[in-house]
Amino acid sequence: LMRFGNGLVAAAVGVVLMMGAAARPATWDFEADAVGKPAKGFTAEFGRWEVAQDGANRVLAQRAKSGERVYNVALVEGAGYKDLDVSVRVKAGAGEIDQGGGLVWRAKDKGNYYIARFNPLEDNLRLYLVENGRRTQLDHADVVGDHDWHTLRITMQGRDITGWLDGKKLLVAEDSTFADAGRIGVWSKADAQSFFDDLKADETR
């Protein structure tokens, strides 16, 4: 151990720096990504995720027409946040079973995370806990559904969750199932083919 001490220390410092960098304020706008290709820094856990052109903007699109019980998930690689302020712009596209989509945070993997999602097909905004692939609803709000761009924002401090749609506070809940830092990302259900842009995250104290 003494022989390799310097190497071990250097490696440990590198890990700490990487973890610290992951939790700094960050924005993903996809403008530097190639259309038709996967977004850099994202892992497509399920679904078909690729960069698309929407007017003058490049966005992240979910293209798969998955089955009714499938959750399409794309997670940011390596970005670990616990107490956070995270937001994304979402625009519903096609979908007969489901539409719209939302934010994922404190994700352990593709089957364990919190999710807040906007669904214009159902005219609602809902907050869920997904544990081992099964959803439990934590809060609900009725909203007017359309296919315009909307901004979904979530804060979580400890066990306290608050959610906004276009600046209006609509979701409030408490839960401690996932108490540690986890990855953030975006989500749609079943055949919801949706656009996402300007994903932003910051760690809060």
Side-chain angles (χ1 to χ4, degrees):
L1 288 175
M2 291 297 294
R3 181 180 178 183
F4 299 101
N6 291 339
L8 290 172
V9 170
V13 170
V15 169
V16 170
L17 289 174
M18 287 175 63
M19 291 176 65
R24 291 174 184 166
T27 300
W28 295 265
D29 63 11
F30 313 108
E31 293 304 319
D33 294 321
V35 173
K37 302 293 185 180
K40 295 177 182 178
F42 282 74
T43 301
E45 302 290 341
F46 208 95
R48 183 163 69 89
W49 297 87
E50 63 184 39
V51 176
Q53 195 76 35
D54 181 62
N57 295 323
R58 292 187 180 181
V59 301
L60 181 59
Q62 200 296 114
R63 301 294 200 188
K65 297 180 180 180
S66 301
E68 183 175 0
R69 299 183 181 276
V70 173
Y71 303 147
N72 307 297
V73 181
L75 298 177
V76 175
E77 297 173 353
Y81 295 84
K82 180 182 177 181
D83 295 332
L84 82 169
D85 188 333
V86 60
S87 64
V88 73
R89 296 173 62 230
V90 57
K91 179 181 178 181
E96 295 182 4
I97 301 172
D98 209 87
Q99 291 183 8
L103 280 167
V104 167
W105 69 98
R106 289 196 187 177
K108 296 172 61 179
D109 51 43
K110 65 181 179 181
N112 295 275
Y113 49 83
Y114 293 106
I115 165 70
R117 72 99 176 95
F118 166 69
N119 187 341
L121 196 62
E122 299 176 355
D123 291 326
N124 61 41
L125 176 70
R126 288 181 175 174
L127 173 64
Y128 293 101
L129 159 72
V130 177
E131 188 173 19
N132 297 322
R134 301 188 64 173
R135 290 191 305 181
T136 300
Q137 185 172 302
L138 301 178
D139 201 12
H140 165 96
D142 295 323
V143 297
V144 177
D146 58 39
H147 290 75
D148 296 330
W149 281 102
H150 295 278
T151 299
L152 179 58
R153 178 190 171 204
I154 290 290
T155 63
M156 188 166 186
Q157 190 79 22
R159 56 180 283 119
D160 298 323
I161 306 169
T162 306
W164 292 261
L165 184 66
D166 297 327
K168 185 176 181 180
K169 185 168 74 171
L170 297 172
L171 302 173
V172 177
E174 295 183 2
D175 190 81
S176 58
T177 303
F178 302 128
D180 299 324
R183 296 165 71 185
I184 61 170
V186 290
W187 180 103
S188 81
K189 180 177 180 286
D191 64 344
Q193 299 171 65
S194 307
F195 287 168
F196 300 86
D197 199 9
D198 299 324
L199 175 63
K200 299 178 181 180
D202 193 5
E203 186 177 51
T204 59
R205 299 289 183 180

